[in-house]
Amino acid sequence: MPSETLIRDWLIERVAEYLERSPADIDPSAMLAEYGMDSVYAISLCGDIEAEYDLDVEPTLAWTHPTIHAIAAHLGERVGDRVPPDQPTPTDLLRSPDQPTPTDLLRSPDQPTPTDLLRSPDQPTPTDLPALPDRPTPA
């Protein structure tokens, strides 16, 4: 799990990239609004955080936590609360290794997939379709 320091350094890099500045020019205790971070940048930063740390964050994150230090502290707490991937979840602990998962119980091996159900028997699969001819170039 990333530490608050690693998260802060990552945030500094992201904000510097958005603002087209050097990371050394970014003060993590300064208000992001002082750098001219508008709502478009703030929402983009939220999307980057979600992708990087596999978290759902509110689009108002940059307003409720207006500095890089504040965002890093908030994310550090959230990331620290998650179960590391190598540790079992409470559900895993309750299930014995030979017990099927709920998904296993819902479908038997010979049961069609949802895609199979949507395709009529005489409809070709995408791999059965012929290749499209090259289009002539307009003169």
Side-chain angles (χ1 to χ4, degrees):
M1 286 183 286
S3 68
E4 186 177 322
T5 302
L6 289 174
I7 294 170
R8 186 195 67 231
D9 292 346
W10 180 85
L11 287 167
I12 289 170
E13 292 285 332
R14 297 301 308 146
V15 169
E17 185 176 320
Y18 288 142
L19 300 175
E20 298 178 355
R21 294 185 180 190
S22 165
D25 295 338
I26 305 299
D27 176 5
S29 61
M31 302 288 276
L32 292 173
E34 290 176 15
Y35 287 113
M37 288 278 292
D38 63 12
S39 60
V40 173
Y41 286 131
I43 290 175
S44 296
L45 181 62
C46 289
D48 290 343
I49 291 168
E50 289 178 340
E52 182 72 17
Y53 296 105
D54 193 29
L55 292 172
D56 290 328
V57 296
E58 293 295 322
T60 57
L61 179 72
W63 282 270
T64 57
H65 302 85
T67 67
I68 290 175
H69 276 308
I71 294 172
H74 173 72
L75 294 177
E77 290 172 8
R78 299 243 346 247
V79 170
D81 289 342
R82 295 188 313 190
V83 175
D86 58 339
Q87 290 185 359
T89 65
T91 305
D92 294 335
L93 295 174
L94 295 174
R95 185 183 313 125
S96 67
D98 57 336
Q99 185 179 9
T101 65
T103 306
D104 294 337
L105 297 172
L106 293 175
R107 185 174 33 186
S108 65
D110 58 330
Q111 187 177 14
T113 65
T115 304
D116 294 335
L117 296 173
L118 293 174
R119 187 178 316 137
S120 66
D122 57 328
Q123 185 180 11
T125 62
T127 56
D128 296 334
L129 297 173
L132 294 174
D134 290 333
R135 296 173 72 181
T137 321

